Amino acid sequence: MKDRKSKSHRHYKNAKRKQVYIWGFMIGILAVFCVGIVWKERSWNKPVPQSPEQEEETVSGKPAYNDHLSNYLFLGVDTRNPVETYETQADAGQADAIFLVSLDRVTNDIQVLAIPRDTIAEIETFTPAGKSLGKVKQHINIQYAFGDGRFKSCDLMKQAVSKLLYNLPIQGYCSLNMDGIPLLADLAGGVEVSVPDESLVEVNPEFQEGASVTLTSDNVEQFLRYRDRTTSQSALVRQEHQRIFLKAYLEKAREMQKQNTSFVQEMYQTLQPYMVTNMGNDLFVKLLEASEQTIPQEYTLPGEGAEGDDGYEEYHVDEEALHNLVLQMFYKQDS
């Protein structure tokens, strides 16, 4: 079975030409609120970068992994309805927003790596009955579609992203579907943003470049999910809209938390029906406070966009630049 022929992908192919559902802003927010539990993983098998377990390599001058880091995968999924209703591949959807968040437990520094949904990477395909069909090079976002829309889908994405990043340990994951969008806006009482370009005027005339707009449950999806698919690599333009919303939302969330110390807990409980995670919530408030003191470092997976032979957009990784970025983000630097 070809992965592009999966039911979820056929649904994607038949969607409106000028819309796609990607929820990067929610992932960044959850990156601050949803970091909880940590465990060890030992899945290293590439020679470079070296793993923290390879002591003899570290002594000989090889780069050493920064073992103060905890890495978490956050996914925005193009489905609706409570996740408890999901059972099969037909329910799964695709991970159209992919963010890897790295927390330094000593310094409280946060790094965020955005992974374009169209990144060509190694994924594992499965029959609807769950039998593996082997690994292929394909869009990384459809790896989610070969699971159950719940923990299996998240596990598959965790493996694919870890492999892409030289078998980087990933300690936890959290996915959120589309029904959380208006809930987020309502919880914050609206979020004011400055519109960065003219790309959204077609969907809503109030989104004029430079305009100050308050995003509510009525218009927040338009601002964050719309892109003109007739324009090449429009997903990157949309990603900028998400980044703007994320910054504004975090500022608003800090204000809300000061006024109501249970705000974070209320947010978690409200989003829970539309969320899949293996992480606890004990560090929510601490991370929100830490975000006031440090500016998260933001990165995008290095590479460039292209059009595939089948007409779908692709994002091809610059392997040398990625290697250097992985060393910069996750490995100890010489003093």
Side-chain angles (χ1 to χ4, degrees):
M1 179 186 74
K2 294 183 179 180
D3 43 19
R4 286 193 175 278
K5 297 300 184 180
S6 68
K7 184 173 182 179
S8 61
H9 192 62
R10 289 200 302 272
H11 175 75
Y12 165 78
K13 184 176 180 181
N14 293 328
K16 292 181 180 180
R17 180 171 179 77
K18 292 187 177 181
Q19 290 188 356
V20 69
Y21 309 113
I22 179 170
W23 316 119
F25 74 99
M26 293 186 294
I27 308 312
I29 294 165
L30 290 173
V32 177
F33 294 137
C34 297
V35 179
I37 59 175
V38 178
W39 70 89
K40 297 285 186 179
E41 282 195 19
R42 301 174 183 270
S43 58
W44 303 84
N45 56 35
K46 284 198 173 186
V48 176
Q50 297 297 326
S51 76
E53 290 83 357
Q54 295 172 314
E55 296 295 340
E56 69 281 0
E57 299 290 357
T58 301
V59 172
S60 65
K62 301 286 186 176
Y65 179 75
N66 182 358
D67 56 9
H68 297 163
L69 301 180
S70 294
N71 304 314
Y72 302 94
L73 182 64
F74 293 87
L75 307 169
V77 184
D78 64 350
T79 57
R80 294 192 184 274
N81 300 318
V83 296
E84 65 180 11
T85 65
Y86 302 166
E87 296 179 355
T88 67
Q89 286 183 9
D91 305 317
Q94 301 175 8
D96 276 346
I98 307 167
F99 287 77
L100 193 285
V101 177
S102 184
L103 169 70
D104 190 311
R105 301 184 304 278
V106 174
T107 65
N108 281 333
D109 290 336
I110 298 173
Q111 300 181 102
V112 181
L113 177 63
I115 301 174
R117 63 184 296 279
D118 295 321
T119 298
I120 300 300
E122 184 177 271
I123 69 171
E124 187 171 6
T125 61
F126 294 84
T127 68
K131 180 180 179 180
S132 176
L133 295 173
K135 295 183 177 181
V136 298
K137 287 284 190 176
Q138 192 48 267
H139 291 73
I140 196 169
N141 72 311
I142 65 175
Q143 178 68 94
Y144 199 89
F146 287 97
D148 56 2
R150 303 178 71 177
F151 293 101
K152 182 176 180 180
S153 288
C154 289
D155 283 329
L156 289 174
M157 285 298 300
K158 181 170 79 89
Q159 294 169 25
V161 172
S162 174
K163 178 73 172 178
L164 176 66
L165 301 178
Y166 300 97
N167 297 311
L168 181 78
I170 298 176
Q171 281 75 31
Y173 52 69
C174 181
S175 73
L176 188 66
N177 72 28
M178 295 186 295
D179 278 345
I181 295 176
L183 299 178
L184 281 170
D186 285 343
L187 282 166
V191 180
E192 186 174 344
V193 298
S194 178
V195 180
D197 52 55
E198 293 288 328
S199 65
L200 297 171
V201 173
E202 181 179 350
V203 68
N204 190 332
E206 73 175 321
F207 292 138
Q208 298 286 340
E209 182 176 2
S212 179
V213 178
T214 298
L215 299 178
T216 67
S217 56
D218 294 328
N219 62 3
V220 65
E221 290 191 33
Q222 295 173 333
F223 186 80
L224 294 160
R225 68 187 256 188
Y226 178 84
R227 66 169 173 138
D228 185 350
R229 288 183 54 79
T230 64
T231 302
S232 178
Q233 303 302 316
S234 58
L236 298 180
V237 176
R238 182 178 54 191
Q239 189 175 60
E240 175 64 9
H241 300 164
Q242 297 162 358
R243 186 194 66 79
I244 290 170
F245 178 83
L246 168 60
K247 181 177 180 180
Y249 197 97
L250 288 178
E251 292 176 357
K252 189 65 178 290
R254 294 188 197 109
E255 296 177 7
M256 299 293 289
Q257 180 67 17
K258 291 177 181 178
Q259 298 171 12
N260 175 13
T261 56
S262 64
F263 173 75
V264 174
Q265 182 64 27
E266 292 173 2
M267 172 179 286
Y268 181 84
Q269 292 174 346
T270 300
L271 296 178
Q272 197 166 26
Y274 312 106
M275 183 169 58
V276 178
T277 183
N278 62 356
M279 301 189 296
N281 66 355
D282 56 316
L283 295 181
F284 289 2
V285 176
K286 178 181 177 181
L287 289 177
L288 184 61
E289 293 173 347
S291 71
E292 291 188 271
Q293 303 169 8
T294 62
I295 301 176
Q297 296 296 307
E298 302 175 31
Y299 303 92
T300 298
L301 192 77
E304 61 180 359
E307 184 173 321
D309 295 336
D310 55 5
Y312 287 97
E313 291 185 357
E314 298 179 349
Y315 189 85
H316 297 278
V317 176
D318 182 328
E319 292 291 349
E320 181 177 358
L322 175 59
H323 178 271
N324 292 335
L325 181 61
V326 168
L327 290 176
Q328 176 186 339
M329 290 184 66
F330 306 110
Y331 285 75
K332 295 178 181 178
Q333 306 299 309
D334 294 332
S335 57

